[in-house]
């Protein structure tokens, strides 16, 4: 039997959530004014953990983010003192944590080797004896006398692994730094670890890379919410880990994970929102809101002017006779029957999106469309088109999910989108629906659009949408532009899921954003472009009709409320979003209604919900 | 049972987090400094090497800085007081270097934990290393700054006497006061950053309450009764000691006050070490 090197005996570690008798001024003021209750309970990072590690084994620790893996490693290495229990170890411990820690970017690689070595507790003499070996192992001989700031992150990792593993230590703890660096180096470091194990050392690895752990470790430890859930054979533990993470999304109560309650806002944010609202209110009172949001007052065309533009571009205008299927020619007063556009035909609709970075989220969104395509087969032929800018990486993710992939540079966005729109022509679409790479729509919305396309409407869109914020884990419904926020845009649709029909696209030659060279407000640009050819935001009652190739079409930019048509469209916000969740709150807090997670169940695939919940705030 | 324990090697294990007596703080720190001497010396080298990185004058800044500051104080003083003694510029320079040294170690030590939070959370090493490396590197810089005194001494025809031994003694007192206060409050500073701002203000104000621009001997006869209050400031004695060390004059301070100051400074260091060691484990969780 091998000897024990680490003995963790029933340890508990708590992290205080708030600071005793202090905290920030902001907290003190807000708790003083009773604006929000301050939490006093501690966060329990490790809860009664006991384990023993032996000589000559590689042990892996797995678990979700925040489950306590790193805290355990740090406690073993002596950084944190347990509040209860005891940690006993034997011999020298090396903790290999985040890359570049303890390095100084202005010193050379060689100087950093000595510096980092001494931080790990080694003498200069020891380091003198090891320096050649370390440089050799790191394969950095050529740049070892250059300052560290010239190193890539891979080079830094190589250097820190080389130093940390150079000195024989009885216990080597590695915290999520493997898998950086190229294949050769990874192989080499695996061999090095194996050697250390052969020398009767204990290696502990925290990682999310399950295949690596399965290959290297003799035992795995699964940690969940600060407790050890299972210890054993890698294969078994990985099975348990995988099954629990699935179970969690299916079995647990979504209402608990995503709550209806309004998120707590910090004092400063509250004040800034109030100020923002006040300024919006003032702008509105002085009728300056339009000026403030668009910088230039948009020309307000009268109905006559609008009609003139429509006539210039499309010819004759007709008016609908209320409650009938007839339209009336304004000049000759001749009645014509509204001819429905071939209803039986299954149309081809292209879903167009542009992707950039955020691989996890993109994967979720694209795979959702793949499923949607199958689901709507009976009434709609969906073609999926995506434009990406990251070469092979983007291509793989798209093609895996049944998207046709095209490559175009990311900036300016207007060109990228326009290129995508041009490409959709290849698929001979009857309509193109435009969605962002973080937007998901449902079958109900597509079926509704299909119906409206059958009635001959040229341009469709929605006015409200659902938002999920992965950072705060909040689900919300945004009711659309209101009197306070962007009153002048009240009739317009939002950029998400705008649907343009073929006759309109032909008229535009599949060009909307050409020669614009902009990266923001692409929806605004589209609205303007449509107005140029007489497609104005309007409602179904007032929509003017036109004739194209003897068919009657509704020439307007129609917006619907998801809540009324029972459709679903959701925007998934992550940290890197351009329009943050906060913006909606800041502009009009009443326009947001929080929902609980249960709502998602009826609207999204289980798999998708699970993936969204696991998104966390990584991206 | 006993046999199996031996087999498993449990007896060879050592407790990673033994509970120590509050009073053993200074001893623990001393032991850690010896064990982690390579790290300490590397930190000091790094601090000094990087201090004047990318600058034209490099090391000369440690001479220029006190010279320029002293020049300003000198002019200010001439404007207010008028005529001064010929040694006055020398006194100001010594005062400025000593005070800068004090404020750098105290303020540096107070933020030692917060500034190195990333490293502290990722690697275990005794946290007092940071405080001591700041103190020692500043001590080295201050010592080299004192080179600027030499031309003044030559000009004033002051020959070094055996009193020069008071210079290192004074520096030791200043270091232990600054380091002691820093150790005492660096833990608190991780809970609330107001501490570091407070101490920065204290050092600014202390500049005027300590004999930097003035000396104890300058105090007029009529105000001699104030000396009791003045001497409450533990920095008065060390600064005066360093001055006397250089210019060879009598210290001229009652031995009672000297003892008070020495005891005050050393108590600060010892108490600071104890508080630092005691609060260390808790404080790391707030980083």
């Amino acid at each position: 039997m091998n000897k024990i090197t680490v003995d963790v005996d029933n340890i508990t570690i708590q992290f205080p959530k708030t600071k005793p008798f202090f905290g920030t001024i902001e907290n003190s003021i807000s708790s003083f004014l009773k604006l929000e209750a301050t939490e006093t309970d501690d966060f329990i990072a490790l809860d009664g953990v006991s384990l023993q590690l032996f000589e000559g084994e590689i042990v892996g620790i797995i678990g979700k983010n925040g489950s306590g893996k790193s805290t355990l490693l740090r406690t073993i290495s002596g950084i944190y003192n347990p509040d209860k229990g005891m940690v006993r170890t034997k011999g020298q411990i090396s903790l290999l944590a985040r890359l570049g820690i303890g390095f100084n970017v202005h010193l050379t690689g060689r100087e950093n080797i000595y510096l980092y070595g001494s931080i790990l507790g080694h003498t200069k003499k020891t380091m003198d004896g090891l320096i050649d070996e370390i440089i050799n192992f790191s394969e950095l001989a050529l740049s070892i006398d250059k300052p560290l700031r010239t190193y890539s992150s891979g080079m830094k990792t190589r250097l820190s692994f080389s130093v940390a593993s150079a000195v024989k230590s009885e216990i080597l703890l590695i915290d999520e730094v493997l898998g950086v660096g190229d294949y050769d180096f990874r192989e080499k470091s695996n061999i090095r670890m194996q050697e250390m194990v052969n020398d009767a050392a204990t290696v502990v690895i925290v990682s999310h890379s399950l295949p690596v752990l399965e290959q290297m470790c003799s035992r795995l430890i699964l940690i969940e919410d600060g407790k050890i859930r299972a210890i054993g054979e890698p294969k078994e533990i990985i099975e348990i880990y995988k099954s629990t993470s699935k179970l969690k999304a299916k079995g647990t109560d979504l209402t608990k994970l995503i709550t209806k309650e309004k998120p707590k806002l910090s004092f400063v944010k509250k004040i800034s929102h109030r100020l923002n609202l006040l300024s919006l209110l003032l702008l509105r009172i002085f009728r300056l809101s339009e000026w403030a949001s668009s910088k230039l007052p948009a020309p307000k065309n009268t109905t006559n002017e609008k009609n003139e533009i429509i006539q210039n571009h499309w010819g004759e205008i007709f008016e609908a006779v209320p409650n009938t299927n007839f339209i009336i020619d304004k000049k000759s007063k001749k009645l014509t029957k509204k001819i429905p556009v071939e209803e039986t035909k299954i149309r081809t609709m292209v879903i167009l999106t542009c992707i950039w970075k955020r691989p996890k989220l993109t994967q979720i969104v694209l795979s959702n469309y793949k499923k949607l395509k199958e689901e709507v087969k009976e009434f709609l032929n969906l073609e999926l088109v995506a434009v990406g800018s990251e070469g092979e990486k983007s291509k793989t993710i798209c093609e895996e999910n049944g998207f046709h992939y095209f490559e175009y540079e990311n900036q300016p966005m207007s060109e990228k989108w326009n290129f995508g729109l041009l490409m959709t022509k290849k698929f001979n679409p009857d309509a193109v629906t435009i969605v962002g790479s973080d937007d998901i729509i449902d079958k109900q919305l597509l079926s509704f659009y299909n119906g409206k396309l059958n009635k001959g409407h040229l341009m469709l869109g929605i006015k409200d949408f659902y938002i999920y914020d992965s950072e705060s884990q909040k689900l919300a419904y945004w009711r659309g532009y209101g009197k306070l926020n962007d009153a002048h845009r009240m009739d317009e649709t939002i950029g998400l899921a705008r649907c343009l029909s073929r006759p309109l696209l032909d008229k535009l030659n599949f060009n909307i954003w050409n020669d614009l060279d902009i990266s923001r407000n692409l929806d605004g640009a589209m609205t303007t472009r449509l107005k140029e050819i007489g497609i104005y935001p309007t409602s179904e009652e007032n929509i003017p009709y036109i004739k194209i190739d003897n068919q009657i079409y509704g020439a307007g930019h129609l917006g619907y409320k998801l809540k009324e048509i029972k459709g679903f469209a959701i925007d998934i916000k992550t940290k890197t979003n351009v329009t943050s969740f906060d913006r909606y709150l800041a502009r009009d807090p009443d326009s947001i209604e929080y929902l609980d997670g249960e709502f998602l169940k009826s609207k999204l695939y289980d798999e998708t919900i699970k993936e969204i919940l696991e998104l966390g705030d990584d991206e | 049972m006993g046999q199996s324990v031996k087999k498993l090697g449990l007896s060879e294990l050592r407790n990673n987090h033994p509970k120590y007596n509050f009073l053993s703080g200074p001893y623990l720190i001393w032991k850690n400094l010896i064990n982690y001497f390579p790290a300490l010396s590397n930190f000091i080298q790094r601090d000094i090497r990087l201090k004047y990185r990318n600058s034209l004058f490099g090391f000369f800044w440690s001479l220029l800085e006190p010279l320029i500051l002293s020049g300003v104080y000198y002019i200010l003083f001439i404007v207010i007081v008028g005529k001064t003694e010929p040694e006055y510029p020398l006194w100001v320079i010594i005062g400025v270097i000593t005070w800068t040294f004090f404020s750098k170690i105290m303020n540096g030590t107070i933020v030692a934990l917060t500034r190195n939070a990333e490293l502290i959370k990722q690697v275990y090493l005794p946290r007092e290393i940071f405080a001591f490396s700041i103190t020692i590197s500043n001590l080295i810089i201050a010592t080299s700054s004192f080179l600027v005194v030499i031309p003044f001494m030559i000009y004033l025809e002051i020959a070094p006497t055996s009193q020069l031994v008071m210079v290192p003694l004074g520096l030791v007192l200043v270091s232990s006061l600054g380091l002691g206060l820093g150790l005492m409050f660096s833990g608190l500073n991780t809970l609330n950053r107001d501490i570091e701002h407070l101490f920065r203000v204290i050092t600014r104000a202390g500049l005027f309450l300590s004999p930097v621009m003035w000396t104890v001997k300058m105090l007029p006869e009529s105000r001699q009764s104030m000396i009791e209050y003045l001497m409450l400031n533990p920095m008065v004695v060390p600064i005066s000691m360093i001055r006397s060390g250089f210019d060879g004059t009598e210290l001229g301070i009652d031995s009672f006050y000297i003892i008070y100051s020495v005891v005050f400074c050393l108590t600060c260091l010892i108490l600071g070490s104890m508080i630092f060691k005691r609060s260390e484990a808790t404080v790391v969780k707030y980083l």
Side-chain angles (χ1 to χ4, degrees):
Chain A
M1 181 119 190
N2 283 332
K3 284 183 175 174
I4 293 177
T5 49
V6 178
D7 178 39
V8 177
D9 185 14
N10 197 21
I11 57 166
T12 298
I13 289 197
Q14 301 178 341
F15 284 93
K17 266 185 187 166
T18 46
K19 303 185 169 184
F21 64 87
F22 276 136
T24 60
I25 300 285
E26 185 194 306
N27 270 346
S28 329
I29 294 177
S30 60
S31 62
F32 178 69
L33 296 174
K34 295 264 157 47
L35 280 170
E36 48 203 313
T38 33
E39 290 165 280
T40 46
D41 52 334
D42 290 352
F43 167 69
I44 299 171
L46 290 178
D47 189 1
V49 170
S50 293
L51 77 124
Q52 289 177 326
L53 306 177
F54 299 92
E55 281 181 349
E57 66 170 349
I58 304 187
V59 182
I61 302 181
I62 54 174
K64 294 211 160 129
N65 287 334
S67 56
K69 303 179 301 269
S70 297
T71 309
L72 180 58
L73 276 203
R74 289 176 192 172
T75 313
I76 294 175
S77 74
I79 295 171
Y80 295 135
N81 276 18
D83 294 304
K84 277 181 215 151
M86 188 164 65
V87 177
R88 291 186 299 167
T89 54
K90 193 176 95 180
Q92 170 90 38
I93 307 174
S94 290
L95 172 66
L96 182 53
R98 283 243 305 281
L99 58 119
I101 282 295
F103 284 156
N104 187 297
V105 289
H106 302 298
L107 298 178
T108 66
R110 190 187 298 275
E111 287 165 332
N112 269 305
I113 291 177
Y114 281 101
L115 180 62
Y116 190 48
S118 69
I119 289 175
L120 296 177
H122 308 315
T123 59
K124 185 165 184 302
K125 224 176 174 183
T126 325
M127 296 310 289
D128 280 338
L130 291 166
I131 183 98
D132 292 329
E133 207 250 297
I134 292 173
I135 296 172
N136 264 337
F137 189 81
S138 65
E139 300 166 17
L140 291 167
L142 288 175
S143 36
I144 202 70
D145 288 313
K146 285 186 190 145
L148 204 72
R149 68 186 131 82
T150 61
Y151 284 34
S152 70
S153 59
M155 287 159 86
K156 282 184 210 158
T157 321
R158 256 149 59 188
L159 197 62
S160 49
F161 181 84
S162 308
V163 181
S165 63
V167 183
K168 266 198 192 154
S169 45
E170 279 80 2
I171 301 163
L172 178 64
L173 311 170
I174 300 171
D175 193 354
E176 300 190 47
V177 281
L178 294 178
V180 195
D182 52 25
Y183 176 79
D184 283 346
F185 190 77
R186 242 181 293 167
E187 282 297 292
K188 227 165 83 174
S189 45
N190 286 354
I191 294 169
R192 168 71 67 94
M193 279 189 274
Q194 202 59 59
E195 281 171 11
M196 294 182 73
V197 173
N198 292 344
D199 290 347
T202 309
V203 180
V204 185
I205 307 172
V206 164
S207 174
H208 283 293
S209 162
L210 299 180
V212 171
L213 290 177
E214 189 176 350
Q215 182 207 329
M216 292 185 51
C217 299
S218 49
R219 278 200 300 166
L220 280 192
I221 298 168
L222 172 57
I223 292 196
E224 220 176 78
D225 299 327
K227 291 191 182 101
I228 292 187
R229 208 186 114 88
I231 303 182
E233 286 286 308
K235 265 206 176 120
E236 285 171 34
I237 301 295
I238 288 174
E239 270 315 300
I240 297 174
Y241 179 53
K242 281 183 176 165
S243 64
T244 50
S245 53
K246 253 181 212 157
L247 264 175
K248 267 210 152 158
K250 261 189 190 165
T252 49
D253 196 358
L254 273 172
T255 41
K256 269 185 194 159
L257 284 172
I258 304 176
T259 57
K260 257 185 199 171
E261 281 153 52
K262 284 187 182 174
K264 275 181 191 161
L265 287 178
S266 72
F267 184 63
V268 168
K269 266 200 178 149
K270 267 185 191 166
I271 298 287
S272 83
H273 286 181
R274 292 278 141 78
L275 286 176
N276 201 334
L277 273 181
L278 189 71
S279 66
L280 283 170
L281 204 68
L282 286 174
L283 283 173
R284 181 159 165 72
I285 291 170
F286 295 107
R287 294 172 191 287
L288 285 169
S289 34
E290 195 166 313
W291 169 82
S293 59
S294 60
K295 304 281 179 259
L296 279 173
K300 274 245 157 72
N301 292 358
T302 61
T303 320
N304 278 341
E305 280 168 339
K306 281 182 192 170
N307 285 345
E308 207 170 298
I309 297 173
I310 296 173
Q311 267 170 356
N312 286 341
H313 282 96
W314 305 93
E316 220 87 35
I317 298 186
F318 306 89
E319 210 175 335
V321 181
N323 301 323
T324 61
N325 252 344
F326 289 93
I327 49 170
I328 198 164
D329 188 332
K330 275 194 166 174
K331 271 186 204 155
S332 60
K333 305 284 175 204
K334 213 174 81 183
L335 274 179
T336 321
K337 198 172 180 223
K338 245 199 267 179
I339 307 163
V341 194
E342 276 183 80
E343 272 186 43
T344 47
K345 180 188 154 195
I346 291 187
R347 299 160 177 284
T348 301
M349 183 190 278
V350 170
I351 300 276
L352 171 65
T353 187
C354 284
I355 62 169
W356 171 246
K357 296 252 167 94
R358 298 191 290 182
K360 268 195 217 160
L361 180 58
T362 310
Q363 169 63 26
I364 295 172
V365 170
L366 298 192
S367 66
N368 191 73
Y369 284 108
K370 186 183 180 184
K371 286 185 205 116
L372 193 63
K373 179 178 174 164
E374 285 301 305
E375 212 187 339
V376 299
K377 233 174 171 171
E378 53 198 57
F379 63 88
L380 202 60
N381 171 29
L382 271 197
E383 288 291 347
L384 310 174
V385 175
V387 185
S389 319
E390 294 156 288
E392 218 38 55
K393 217 165 101 196
S394 310
K395 190 174 176 178
T396 334
I397 201 169
C398 287
E399 287 180 350
E400 268 174 14
N401 292 302
F403 271 74
H404 301 279
Y405 178 74
F406 298 97
E407 175 103 13
Y408 202 87
E409 61 187 27
N410 193 44
Q411 298 286 350
M413 292 286 269
S414 51
E415 273 183 28
K416 187 175 179 180
W417 279 98
N418 208 51
F419 172 76
L421 193 61
L422 274 172
M423 289 302 111
T424 61
K425 203 172 179 181
K426 284 191 179 174
F427 306 96
N428 194 21
D430 295 303
V432 172
T433 300
I434 294 171
V435 293
S437 64
D438 44 11
D439 303 329
I440 292 176
I441 57 178
D442 79 334
K443 179 183 170 184
Q444 175 60 30
L445 181 64
L446 285 181
S447 129
F448 178 82
Y449 275 178
N450 195 40
K452 290 297 166 192
L453 289 170
N454 281 340
K455 291 233 164 74
H457 288 301
L458 286 180
M459 158 84 202
L460 305 161
I462 49 173
K463 289 177 158 182
D464 53 353
F465 71 109
Y466 297 86
I467 314 167
Y468 175 72
D469 183 41
S470 68
E471 224 181 319
S472 59
Q473 288 223 343
K474 285 285 170 195
L475 176 68
Y477 167 73
W478 183 69
R479 67 169 183 209
Y481 294 117
K483 285 187 176 158
L484 254 184
N485 52 356
D486 305 296
H488 60 288
R489 293 176 75 174
M490 264 172 78
D491 298 329
E492 284 176 27
T493 62
I494 57 167
L496 199 177
R498 281 184 173 177
C499 174
L500 295 91
S501 70
R502 183 61 185 266
L504 183 61
L505 288 168
D506 280 337
K507 185 83 186 173
L508 293 164
N509 278 327
F510 284 81
N511 263 324
I512 292 182
W513 299 282
N514 54 337
D515 315 322
L516 272 179
D517 198 4
I518 48 170
S519 283
R520 295 201 62 170
N521 200 10
L522 291 171
D523 348 324
M526 186 203 274
T527 311
T528 316
R529 179 87 185 91
L530 290 174
K531 279 181 185 168
E532 282 170 18
I533 58 164
I535 308 296
Y536 281 87
T538 180
S539 61
E540 263 185 67
E541 297 92 61
N542 304 322
I543 196 165
Y545 286 90
I546 52 168
K547 211 184 231 177
I548 309 169
D549 298 336
N550 266 328
Q551 294 254 23
I552 303 293
Y553 288 96
H557 175 159
L558 287 177
Y560 300 90
K561 290 243 167 178
L562 286 174
K563 246 197 173 162
E564 285 157 21
I565 65 171
K566 302 266 181 303
F568 183 68
I570 188 163
D571 186 274
I572 301 162
K573 301 270 179 212
T574 53
K575 250 184 202 165
T576 44
N577 256 81
V578 195
T579 359
S580 72
F581 189 51
D582 202 45
R583 205 198 82 144
Y584 293 92
L585 286 176
R587 305 211 74 153
D588 183 359
D590 296 333
S591 68
I592 292 265
E593 179 190 328
Y594 290 95
L595 305 167
D596 61 43
E598 207 55 32
F599 177 80
L600 283 181
K601 265 195 180 163
S602 57
K603 300 293 182 190
L604 284 175
Y605 304 105
D606 283 352
E607 188 75 6
T608 313
I609 298 177
K610 187 195 127 198
E611 284 167 355
I612 291 176
L613 285 176
E614 280 172 5
L615 198 59
D617 48 5
D618 299 0
E619 290 188 10
Chain B
M1 181 67 197
Q3 207 187 354
S4 72
V5 167
K6 211 175 189 181
K7 233 183 189 174
L8 289 168
L10 271 173
S11 53
E12 293 169 33
L13 298 178
R14 80 187 133 71
N15 189 345
N16 262 15
H17 314 278
K19 294 248 180 319
Y20 290 112
N21 194 317
F22 178 66
L23 295 176
S24 63
Y27 169 70
L28 290 177
I29 287 185
W30 175 248
K31 225 173 63 180
N32 280 336
L33 287 181
I34 291 173
N35 286 342
Y36 277 80
F37 180 74
L40 179 64
S41 82
N42 264 318
F43 279 143
I44 296 167
Q45 282 174 34
R46 178 193 69 182
D47 289 349
I48 292 178
R49 203 174 300 171
L50 296 179
K51 173 137 196 197
Y52 299 113
R53 183 178 55 90
N54 292 346
S55 74
L56 185 63
F57 290 101
F59 162 74
F60 288 99
W61 273 115
S62 50
L63 306 181
L64 278 175
E65 198 183 314
L67 265 183
I68 295 168
L69 272 177
S70 312
V72 174
Y73 292 151
Y74 179 68
I75 293 165
L76 194 70
F77 203 79
I78 294 276
V79 170
I80 296 170
V81 181
K83 210 170 84 66
T84 60
E85 290 172 57
E87 292 94 347
Y88 180 70
L90 179 66
W91 295 339
V92 177
I93 287 180
I94 295 171
V96 165
I97 293 174
T98 315
W99 188 261
T100 314
F101 169 56
F102 171 70
S103 79
K104 283 214 171 125
I105 49 174
M106 187 171 72
N107 292 324
T109 317
I110 281 180
V111 298
L113 292 179
T114 47
R115 292 283 145 82
N116 291 296
E118 274 309 301
L119 185 55
I120 290 173
K121 280 193 286 183
Q122 303 286 350
V123 185
Y124 174 75
L125 78 165
R127 288 91 191 192
E128 52 269 29
I129 299 283
F130 301 108
F132 277 85
S133 75
I134 289 163
T135 307
I136 297 174
S137 57
N138 275 305
L139 185 63
I140 293 169
I141 290 169
T143 311
S144 52
S145 292
F146 276 127
L147 289 177
V148 87
V149 168
I150 295 172
F152 282 86
M153 286 174 72
I154 294 170
Y155 175 75
L156 295 167
E157 293 174 358
I158 299 171
T161 62
S162 60
Q163 284 205 39
L164 206 58
V165 80
M166 288 217 282
V167 176
L169 287 179
L171 285 175
V172 167
L173 286 187
V174 176
S175 317
S176 43
L177 182 66
L179 181 62
L181 287 174
L183 287 174
M184 229 179 268
F185 289 98
S186 63
L188 213 52
N189 188 49
T190 62
L191 305 186
N192 190 307
R193 305 289 154 93
D194 294 333
I195 302 290
E196 62 181 84
H197 301 298
L198 178 70
F199 271 84
R200 220 170 293 144
V201 174
I202 290 177
T203 41
R204 295 255 167 81
L207 175 74
F208 300 98
L209 296 175
S210 305
V212 176
M213 288 153 74
W214 46 272
T215 68
V216 180
K217 286 171 204 158
M218 283 181 182
L219 211 66
E221 285 294 324
S222 55
R223 296 282 164 82
Q224 281 300 326
S225 57
M226 276 178 68
I227 206 143
E228 271 176 55
Y229 304 105
L230 198 65
M231 285 298 169
L232 283 178
N233 177 356
M235 279 298 282
V236 175
V237 170
I239 295 177
S240 307
M241 272 172 82
I242 293 172
R243 271 193 191 133
S244 298
F246 278 112
D247 68 9
T249 54
E250 286 267 322
L251 186 56
I253 293 175
D254 199 41
S255 58
F256 171 75
Y257 297 126
I258 298 176
I259 293 169
Y260 160 78
S261 180
V262 170
V263 169
F264 192 102
C265 294
L266 295 181
T267 311
C268 259
L269 182 61
I270 292 167
L271 200 62
S273 310
M274 291 173 183
I275 293 175
F276 185 84
K277 265 309 182 199
R278 170 48 73 85
S279 61
E280 190 184 12
T282 322
V283 151
V284 171
K285 289 181 187 164
Y286 286 99
L287 284 174

